[in-house]
Amino acid sequence: MAVVIKYVVERNGVERMTFTSKKEADAYDKMLDVAESLEHMLSKVDVPLSEQQVESLALEIAKQKDEFLSVLKGAKPDTPKKAKKVDADDTDNSDEKVTKINQA
């Protein structure tokens, strides 16, 4: 018989997530604390948001708090680079062995 230790993060009597390490459980609990504080801040802003939108937005900001802090400190946000457009006539297929067939 194996003994398994589980760490359960619970909020308002509701089980939110279960972890196998205390460190991960503490980090998730802290993230939920940040999200809760953000909910209070966002509910005071003069932008019409539903309660669900406020909760979702607060949770997403809390999940990505390091990126938000970086931007708030003046750093440029990381933007995903656009994929290079490949023309139909592009013959650089070094990974693939493709023979171009010209129809006359």
Side-chain angles (χ1 to χ4, degrees):
M1 182 165 117
V3 175
V4 179
I5 297 173
K6 293 184 180 183
Y7 298 90
V8 179
V9 178
E10 184 180 290
R11 289 287 169 140
N12 302 324
V14 178
E15 186 177 314
R16 297 293 301 252
M17 189 77 78
T18 302
F19 297 91
T20 56
S21 94
K22 183 173 179 3
K23 183 179 178 180
E24 290 175 336
D26 287 341
Y28 187 77
D29 188 50
K30 184 176 181 180
M31 188 264 309
L32 290 177
D33 286 339
V34 170
E36 190 174 308
S37 296
L38 285 167
E39 281 183 48
H40 293 294
M41 288 180 60
L42 290 170
S43 65
K44 295 177 186 176
V45 296
D46 196 25
V47 178
L49 297 171
S50 71
E51 186 176 323
Q52 180 64 38
Q53 288 172 320
V54 168
E55 184 179 318
S56 297
L57 183 58
L59 190 58
E60 287 304 313
I61 292 171
K63 286 180 184 176
Q64 300 177 27
K65 76 173 184 173
D66 293 333
E67 289 84 0
F68 275 94
L69 287 172
S70 177
V71 170
L72 290 171
K73 290 179 182 177
K76 297 283 183 190
D78 292 337
T79 55
K81 295 182 180 181
K82 293 182 180 178
K84 181 181 174 184
K85 184 178 178 182
V86 178
D87 293 333
D89 294 333
D90 191 4
T91 58
D92 183 23
N93 294 321
S94 57
D95 292 340
E96 298 178 27
K97 298 197 188 274
V98 176
T99 305
K100 190 172 182 179
I101 300 174
N102 291 326
Q103 294 180 345

